[in-house]
Amino acid sequence: MSTSKKTLPPKESKTDVSGLADPALMRKIWQKRIRKSLQTSRLQDFELAHDPLEHLPFDWDFDETLATLCAELRDGRYRAGAPEIVRSAKSSGLTRPLAFIEPRDLIVYKTIIAIAQNALLGSVAPWARFGRADSDNGDENFGDSGWFRAWLRRQGQLWTMTENHAWLVETDVANFFPYVALPSVLNHVLANSNLGEGTARILEHLLKQFAPMDHYRQSPVVGLPQDNFDCSRILGHTYLKPVDDAFATEGKANQYSRWMDDIVVGAETREAALSIVARLQSSLERLGLYPNTAKTRIIRASEFASDYMKDENDYLGEVDDHLRSKTPENMAVFRTRLRRHLQRKPPKPKSWGRVLRRYYTACRHLGTDALLSKAFEHIYESPDSARTVFEYLSTYPLTMKRIEALIRLLGRLDKVYPDIDILAHEYVCVAPNSTSETLANAIADWATEVLEREWSQYPRLAASACLTIGKFGNDSHIGKVQARARARALPDTVFRQQALVVLASKGRIAAKDLADLSPQASLVSSQHVRFLRALFEGEAKAVNMSLNLLQPVKRTGPSRFVIRPRMLLLSPILETSAHDKLAAARKKWGKALRSQRRTLRDFTAERILGL
């Protein structure tokens, strides 16, 4: 008599280092999840640590870089570098640290998270959300992107809670990203994902390298970097699953909602709300975290709906629907509601700033200048709205009045918000402009003052100013760049990298000079030098990749073409090394650029392109 053994389901295989160091997988991650985002970034995307050539040299050298990277991972020789930290405006002088990770390390970090992502997110309840997903294919030019759709669904859930419960408890986690304990995060990942121990050790190495923030905190064992690619958000979001589990009953009853570390719970009575606060504190403390005492409150549902401006958000949702369906908007009603929002007296509702950002996005898509006269003052009043306001401003031509207003704004803020100083140059470099030499000189004079002041202390801001000079400056301004770039005491910084591109573009550095630059430069600087040499020599790959990124980018809201300012600086080099290819491309580009209305044209860029 034969017997059959019971077949057990196979255990989920763990991804070891060899699975991580897979060139095909890493290439896919770079092309689909990193490079595309970097090359299509707008002011709203907050990519504040732009490579001086949009990571083009890295992409050009990608095969060799990837082969070396995979070998280092397999052999245990891989070492990550520290990210660049840029402080981003919150409000009232407060900032948050944003981490900008070098592409080489970002590929490793993003690949590890991509491997673990499905397993980590698979068990998270639907009432807990963290933002956009990698699979989002929404219109990159419109406010209704993946994270925004998720936010709208969450808002709908909150409105349901206000209708069904008399009281709401609201809280968030105090200093969540900077103070998550790394050992606990790693244990969480090992227990809840398919990462093998070797791969988890590489993740541990990355997070330890990313954790210290010079000049801000001495702590090598805690913290997740706040990056732009949802790596840390996935780790942090799933790390809070035990809190969701503690409120599973409320979640199933549509009484509990979590957006990353922001939590709202409905209650029938104030006494029940007090009990919920105690439960929240207890569940967070088990993870070594604590509620933010300043943001924890028990509030009546009607007051919550008013504070979060339910009626205004609902109205703007209708505006978004009209824009998507191309249904004409009743502009009289729109202007009346906008005016009412702007005229609200302090204390303003908690959601006033978010609603203001929604109005700016709507005004940009509707093509109305209703906010144009208020824009710089709104950046001062609501600094966390700066990127949205600058995106709106960038659809109107630069004028002396606007440049003077911008300089006054930056003087009032006095470098309290470093991201706004950087965004100011990004805005100036992408906004439409005229043929006025007076305007160009005024812009270049301002940028030169910033460069002279910041070149040694704040290289990232100096690099932004250098880009502005490269686009608008005359020989005198370029001479200032050249003088600072030659300073012997200046280390290998992003300013020097950007200056190299500007000086090569302006004929101050020739191909033979590149051969004499220090071979001991950083990986990024070395790639820039080798790429520029290839471009001077007319190498086909370098030329074709440059032409691809140099072509005008189609944007909507309003429909217009934008020329990447960093790529613009390569045009004079291509004029010499690839004249025929550039001339052929110019015909196509010129037709597109001249087809748009005059107020949307970038005449400075067209002049540099030779159109």
Side-chain angles (χ1 to χ4, degrees):
M1 181 178 178
S2 62
T3 59
S4 60
K5 294 183 179 181
K6 185 177 180 180
T7 303
L8 297 176
K11 290 185 177 181
E12 185 179 14
S13 61
K14 297 285 186 178
T15 301
D16 58 15
V17 175
S18 62
L20 168 64
D22 178 355
L25 175 60
M26 286 193 160
R27 183 183 300 279
K28 181 179 179 180
I29 294 295
W30 168 250
Q31 292 177 343
K32 302 294 185 182
R33 302 191 182 186
I34 300 177
R35 182 179 67 180
K36 181 180 178 181
S37 178
L38 289 172
Q39 292 181 352
T40 59
S41 66
R42 306 156 301 157
L43 296 171
Q44 280 185 293
D45 295 322
F46 241 14
E47 186 57 39
L48 294 176
H50 272 298
D51 180 282
L53 281 174
E54 304 282 6
H55 303 283
L56 180 55
F58 182 86
D59 207 25
W60 171 75
D61 197 36
F62 186 74
D63 289 340
E64 182 177 338
T65 300
L66 184 60
T68 301
L69 178 59
C70 288
E72 289 178 358
L73 286 166
R74 288 191 293 265
D75 299 343
R77 294 180 290 110
Y78 169 71
R79 296 295 181 269
E84 180 177 355
I85 302 298
V86 178
R87 305 294 298 192
S88 166
K90 293 179 71 175
S91 62
S92 303
L94 296 176
T95 59
R96 64 166 58 88
L98 298 182
F100 294 90
I101 302 167
E102 287 290 348
R104 184 174 182 272
D105 299 326
L106 185 57
I107 291 173
V108 180
Y109 192 24
K110 188 63 176 175
T111 303
I112 290 174
I113 299 303
I115 292 170
Q117 179 171 328
N118 288 341
L120 288 174
L121 295 176
S123 60
V124 178
W127 48 83
R129 300 181 178 92
F130 73 99
R132 63 186 177 272
D134 283 320
S135 59
D136 174 52
N137 292 312
D139 180 359
E140 67 187 27
N141 295 302
F142 187 58
D144 192 12
S145 58
W147 77 266
F148 190 63
R149 285 197 294 273
W151 180 81
L152 288 175
R153 287 195 295 271
R154 201 252 184 165
Q155 290 299 102
Q157 183 184 12
L158 295 185
W159 303 151
T160 300
M161 289 167 62
T162 62
E163 293 170 358
N164 296 337
H165 303 280
W167 296 86
L168 291 177
V169 172
E170 180 184 24
T171 191
D172 72 6
V173 181
N175 298 312
F176 178 50
F177 277 95
Y179 288 100
V180 171
L182 295 190
S184 299
V185 169
L186 293 165
N187 288 337
H188 158 69
V189 171
L190 278 170
N192 296 284
S193 79
N194 55 331
L195 293 187
E197 289 189 9
T199 311
R201 281 196 296 271
I202 294 174
L203 175 61
E204 179 181 17
H205 165 72
L206 284 166
L207 294 178
K208 285 184 175 180
Q209 288 298 105
F210 297 162
M213 293 188 296
D214 293 341
H215 310 298
Y216 301 114
R217 182 188 72 213
Q218 295 297 321
S219 179
V221 293
V222 297
L224 294 173
Q226 295 188 61
D227 66 284
N228 260 11
F229 292 87
D230 284 349
C231 300
S232 297
R233 289 179 69 84
I234 289 172
L235 292 177
H237 171 60
T238 58
Y239 182 68
L240 290 177
K241 182 178 179 295
V243 180
D244 303 333
D245 293 343
F247 286 86
T249 300
E250 288 84 356
K252 292 174 183 176
N254 206 19
Q255 188 180 345
Y256 168 92
S257 174
R258 178 171 65 80
W259 175 273
M260 201 62 224
D261 62 324
D262 294 325
I263 300 170
V264 178
V265 190
E268 301 305 324
T269 65
R270 181 172 175 81
E271 290 72 20
L274 287 169
S275 176
I276 287 171
V277 172
R279 289 169 58 199
L280 281 169
Q281 181 175 359
S282 177
S283 60
L284 286 170
E285 285 178 350
R286 292 191 188 99
L287 296 174
L289 300 169
Y290 304 92
N292 187 325
T293 55
K295 294 184 178 180
T296 299
R297 59 179 184 166
I298 297 172
I299 186 172
R300 290 189 181 276
S302 57
E303 185 180 349
F304 182 92
S306 175
D307 212 17
Y308 278 85
M309 307 190 75
K310 179 181 185 301
D311 291 343
E312 210 65 13
N313 273 302
D314 287 348
Y315 167 69
L316 286 168
E318 295 174 6
V319 174
D320 291 342
D321 290 340
H322 294 166
L323 286 166
R324 273 194 302 272
S325 63
K326 299 182 180 180
T327 302
E329 187 64 41
N330 186 326
M331 293 304 296
V333 172
F334 180 86
R335 292 190 185 95
T336 298
R337 298 197 68 137
L338 173 58
R339 184 166 53 252
R340 187 190 311 158
H341 183 73
L342 298 179
Q343 291 175 347
R344 279 185 177 263
K345 302 295 184 183
K348 295 177 180 178
K350 182 175 182 178
S351 194
W352 186 88
R354 182 179 289 277
V355 171
L356 177 68
R357 292 193 287 276
R358 293 191 69 183
Y359 266 117
Y360 266 99
T361 298
C363 283
R364 179 164 58 86
H365 284 276
L366 290 168
T368 173
D369 63 359
L371 286 169
L372 197 54
S373 63
K374 305 281 188 181
F376 292 110
E377 189 60 32
H378 283 155
I379 293 175
Y380 183 80
E381 293 176 357
S382 183
D384 55 340
S385 301
R387 53 177 171 165
T388 305
V389 178
F390 276 132
E391 193 75 69
Y392 170 79
L393 281 168
S394 71
T395 64
Y396 292 92
L398 298 174
T399 63
M400 286 295 296
K401 184 177 179 181
R402 286 183 195 130
I403 293 299
E404 290 166 358
L406 174 64
I407 294 172
R408 284 196 300 272
L409 167 70
L410 298 177
R412 293 174 71 190
L413 295 176
D414 194 24
K415 296 190 290 186
V416 170
Y417 307 114
D419 61 316
I420 293 180
D421 290 285
I422 295 172
L423 281 168
H425 289 275
E426 298 292 330
Y427 149 62
V428 168
C429 285
V430 300
N433 53 70
S434 67
T435 58
S436 169
E437 290 187 17
T438 302
L439 176 63
N441 285 331
I443 294 171
D445 286 345
W446 159 64
T448 302
E449 289 178 8
V450 174
L451 175 67
E452 293 283 272
R453 187 174 64 243
E454 306 293 349
W455 67 277
S456 62
Q457 297 299 317
Y458 197 172
R460 175 59 61 182
L461 178 54
S464 298
C466 187
L467 176 66
T468 306
I469 295 169
K471 181 171 182 178
F472 294 97
N474 57 32
D475 286 344
S476 175
H477 299 114
I478 300 300
K480 297 289 182 64
V481 173
Q482 190 166 17
R484 291 308 183 191
R486 286 177 172 174
R488 292 181 179 274
L490 189 67
D492 187 22
T493 66
V494 67
F495 159 63
R496 206 170 216 174
Q497 294 161 6
Q498 185 67 74
L500 175 65
V501 180
V502 170
L503 295 174
S505 172
K506 302 299 181 179
R508 300 294 183 101
I509 291 179
K512 61 181 180 61
D513 300 320
L514 295 173
D516 298 329
L517 295 179
S518 173
Q520 298 182 359
S522 69
L523 173 63
V524 174
S525 292
S526 175
Q527 284 178 330
H528 274 73
V529 170
R530 290 188 291 111
F531 174 79
L532 286 173
R533 289 179 65 183
L535 201 61
F536 271 115
E537 294 165 3
E539 186 213 70
K541 182 179 179 182
V543 167
N544 291 337
M545 293 178 75
S546 298
L547 288 171
N548 183 54
L549 282 186
L550 185 54
Q551 65 180 324
V553 180
K554 183 68 177 293
R555 295 273 172 85
T556 59
S559 179
R560 68 199 192 282
F561 288 99
V562 175
I563 302 170
R564 297 180 178 93
R566 288 167 177 79
M567 293 299 97
L568 183 64
L569 299 176
L570 297 183
S571 177
I573 302 174
L574 289 167
E575 177 65 39
T576 301
S577 65
H579 174 79
D580 291 345
K581 286 187 176 181
L582 181 62
R586 275 200 194 110
K587 293 180 181 179
K588 179 180 177 182
W589 301 344
K591 183 177 180 180
L593 292 170
R594 286 189 288 267
S595 69
Q596 57 192 347
R597 65 178 186 264
R598 190 176 181 85
T599 55
L600 292 175
R601 289 175 64 177
D602 183 344
F603 285 95
T604 301
E606 292 180 26
R607 175 182 56 78
I608 294 173
L609 280 174
L611 298 175

